[in-house]
Amino acid sequence: MERKSEGQVSIVRDLTNGSVTKLIVMFAMPLFVANALQAVYNLVDMIVVGQVIGGSGMSAVSIGGDVLHLLTFLAMGFASAGQVIISQYVGAKKHDMISKMIGTMFTFLFAIALLMAVVCYLFRYQILDLLNTPAESYQYTMDYMVICICGLGFIYGYNIVSAILRGMGDSRRPFVFIAIAAIINTILDIYFVVFCKMGVAGAALATVIGQGISFLISLIYLYRKKEEFGFDFCRKSFRITGEVLKPLLVLGIPMAIQSAAINISKIVLTAWINAEGVIYSALAGIYNKSSMMMGIVSNSFTTAGSTMTGQSIGAKKYDRVPKILKVVLTISLVIAMSASVALFCFPDVIFTLFTNDQEVLEKATLVVMPIILNFFGCATRAGAFSLINGSGNSRLNLLVALIDGIMGRIGLAALFGYVLKWYSTGFWYGDAVAGFAPILIGTIFFLSGRWRKGVQ
């Protein structure tokens, strides 16, 4: 691509031309691997700890991981919003606005990360008490959570850099950064937990070190390419600019609420399940991590689809959007079906990857069908959010957050769990069924044609 004039971005991948299927696959594959490796952080922690410590260790990593995911809802929401806005700026060729968005995102989100870390540390005991953390895993959970809080800034930083690159159409570099971190995390997990006998604290420390290295490498890359990205890294460039802060807040707040609502609902369900004992708490960890793997597929194709949709809307190439959604939905459903067949046919093989605790494995069949249902819910979400997020419709994002995250998941879980007396099984089914809400809302939104308006 030719170098642009000063102040403009030169490393930009145009996703508004060429084969839709080829571009989505090429863009989504690095995202999928990167997201899978990012998920490996908590998954490896759970597997290593589960094999060494057992159910109480798995419970600690599951609960601590849920808390950490909740703390990152603002990073996920605002980074996703920034990515969508940057992609639309790219499509509209507003290169000066991209530089302003980069500086604003860095300063704004790092301030939020610091605030979240301080608040969570101050109320750490109250948080674990609200979650009905089992006594057997309480101290393990506390160790894991406190150490991970110290690395919260690294998570926010990585999400900022990744959002910038992905908004410009680059999905390969985020994959490289997170791959390095995942390898370091896996090696340190085994070293700290197995050889140093540090237990759950060692797993958390390995995670934080991996995240820190990932962020530092990504930041160095961005700095070395600063001229090509149109961002000079001078102190004045990190000033929050009202011109871009407003659209970031308008879109970011609903997207953050959407992320928070889903995480809060999972926290509520975790608290309900934890009340039934450490065995069910460990099962919740298996359900969450198994579902998370399909969530990785969904998030990867959602990111690819929403970036392509954003660029297409910014360039006013509206006829390209239905093709994008069709490809995203088709590929996601094929993957969901393949994963479901594997889980249904070989559940014992998959569950023993998490633990050898026989008490946990004896009840593991309870989560098989809820996990499969969740797989298909995640697949349909990819198509819906490619349109909803890519169009930048803030009001619709808020509506989905409330219906999907709060009313749907918590409401259905309470209905199945308490009213129908299915208890833990009902909580998992409620969570899975609620995952189909976005595709219903997204279909109505697509048919209305309002997505052509862009960021709202």
Side-chain angles (χ1 to χ4, degrees):
M1 184 173 290
E2 297 181 359
R3 182 175 296 277
K4 299 181 184 298
S5 60
E6 185 177 357
Q8 292 186 329
V9 180
S10 59
I11 299 182
V12 175
R13 187 176 183 185
D14 184 2
L15 302 175
T16 62
N17 294 294
S19 167
V20 170
T21 302
K22 181 179 179 180
L23 285 173
I24 284 180
V25 171
M26 290 180 64
F27 193 89
M29 282 303 101
L31 289 174
F32 170 74
V33 179
N35 287 337
L37 289 172
Q38 195 167 21
V40 162
Y41 285 149
N42 199 234
L43 191 60
V44 168
D45 288 349
M46 177 169 287
I47 291 173
V48 174
V49 169
Q51 296 293 337
V52 175
I53 299 176
S56 60
M58 289 179 62
S59 173
V61 174
S62 175
I63 298 170
D66 286 343
V67 172
L68 187 61
H69 290 154
L70 178 60
L71 292 178
T72 60
F73 77 92
L74 289 173
M76 300 299 291
F78 283 106
S80 296
Q83 173 189 310
V84 168
I85 296 170
I86 287 174
S87 71
Q88 293 197 12
Y89 287 159
V90 168
K93 303 188 184 303
K94 296 181 179 179
H95 304 292
D96 58 324
M97 300 294 286
I98 296 175
S99 179
K100 294 178 182 179
M101 179 60 73
I102 291 174
T104 298
M105 285 177 64
F106 267 114
T107 302
F108 180 66
L109 284 178
F110 269 121
I112 290 177
L114 178 60
L115 178 62
M116 294 287 285
V118 171
V119 171
C120 186
Y121 180 79
L122 292 176
F123 292 96
R124 59 194 184 280
Y125 291 103
Q126 290 85 345
I127 291 172
L128 294 191
D129 290 341
L130 283 173
L131 292 175
N132 294 322
T133 304
E136 302 95 319
S137 61
Y138 194 95
Q139 189 55 53
Y140 285 145
T141 307
M142 179 64 73
D143 293 341
Y144 189 89
M145 184 177 72
V146 170
I147 293 173
C148 286
I149 288 172
C150 297
L152 194 61
F154 298 141
I155 299 176
Y156 274 64
Y158 170 77
N159 275 278
I160 294 169
V161 177
S162 295
I164 294 167
L165 295 174
R166 290 168 180 169
M168 295 184 194
D170 184 354
S171 62
R172 289 178 296 173
R173 270 80 178 191
F175 155 67
V176 173
F177 303 146
I178 205 66
I180 294 171
I183 293 171
I184 292 173
N185 176 74
T186 302
I187 294 173
L188 292 181
D189 244 332
I190 296 172
Y191 177 71
F192 289 149
V193 177
V194 178
F195 294 102
C196 296
K197 308 297 182 182
M198 294 175 64
V200 174
L205 185 60
T207 297
V208 169
I209 293 174
Q211 290 167 342
I213 292 174
S214 174
F215 169 59
L216 290 176
I217 292 175
S218 67
L219 192 62
I220 290 171
Y221 172 79
L222 204 63
Y223 179 79
R224 293 182 62 182
K225 299 292 184 179
K226 59 184 179 181
E227 292 183 2
E228 299 175 39
F229 282 102
F231 186 74
D232 58 16
F233 274 86
C234 294
R235 186 171 62 180
K236 64 179 181 180
S237 298
F238 287 94
R239 290 181 301 187
I240 294 178
T241 305
E243 186 178 8
V244 296
L245 178 62
K246 182 179 179 180
L248 182 64
L249 291 174
V250 169
L251 181 58
I253 289 175
M255 293 184 79
I257 291 174
Q258 178 191 105
S259 177
I262 293 174
N263 280 293
I264 288 172
S265 69
K266 289 186 178 296
I267 290 290
V268 171
L269 267 58
T270 296
W272 290 349
I273 293 169
N274 288 345
E276 297 188 38
V278 70
I279 299 300
Y280 286 93
S281 179
L283 284 175
I286 293 176
Y287 170 82
N288 290 336
K289 300 318 172 216
S290 299
S291 299
M292 180 180 65
M293 297 310 294
M294 184 52 61
I296 290 168
V297 174
S298 176
N299 290 337
S300 301
F301 283 98
T302 293
T303 302
S306 60
T307 300
M308 289 183 66
T309 298
Q311 286 196 16
S312 297
I313 292 175
K316 300 187 184 303
K317 294 185 176 182
Y318 304 122
D319 60 330
R320 193 172 175 81
V321 173
K323 300 175 184 177
I324 295 170
L325 304 182
K326 181 180 178 180
V327 171
V328 167
L329 193 57
T330 300
I331 296 177
S332 298
L333 286 171
V334 169
I335 295 174
M337 185 175 297
S338 302
S340 298
V341 171
L343 178 61
F344 186 80
C345 295
F346 309 104
D348 294 339
V349 175
I350 294 173
F351 292 146
T352 50
L353 291 174
F354 292 95
T355 183
N356 288 320
D357 190 318
Q358 290 303 310
E359 289 186 281
V360 176
L361 293 175
E362 285 175 5
K363 294 183 177 295
T365 53
L366 293 174
V367 298
V368 171
M369 292 311 298
I371 289 174
I372 290 175
L373 192 60
N374 196 291
F375 282 172
F376 284 94
C378 285
T380 59
R381 289 168 67 88
F385 281 120
S386 291
L387 178 65
I388 295 171
N389 292 349
S391 69
N393 190 298
S394 58
R395 291 185 293 273
L396 191 59
N397 264 289
L398 181 58
L399 177 63
V400 173
L402 295 176
I403 294 178
D404 178 25
I406 303 298
M407 292 182 283
R409 292 178 189 273
I410 296 178
L412 288 174
L415 172 64
F416 295 155
Y418 290 127
V419 178
L420 299 182
K421 300 186 184 302
W422 293 1
Y423 300 108
S424 291
T425 304
F427 301 148
W428 292 316
Y429 271 109
D431 178 77
V433 172
F436 290 92
I439 189 63
L440 298 177
I441 298 172
T443 299
I444 295 172
F445 181 53
F446 174 76
L447 294 175
S448 73
R450 296 183 63 185
W451 48 271
R452 294 180 175 86
K453 296 180 180 180
V455 175
Q456 298 176 49

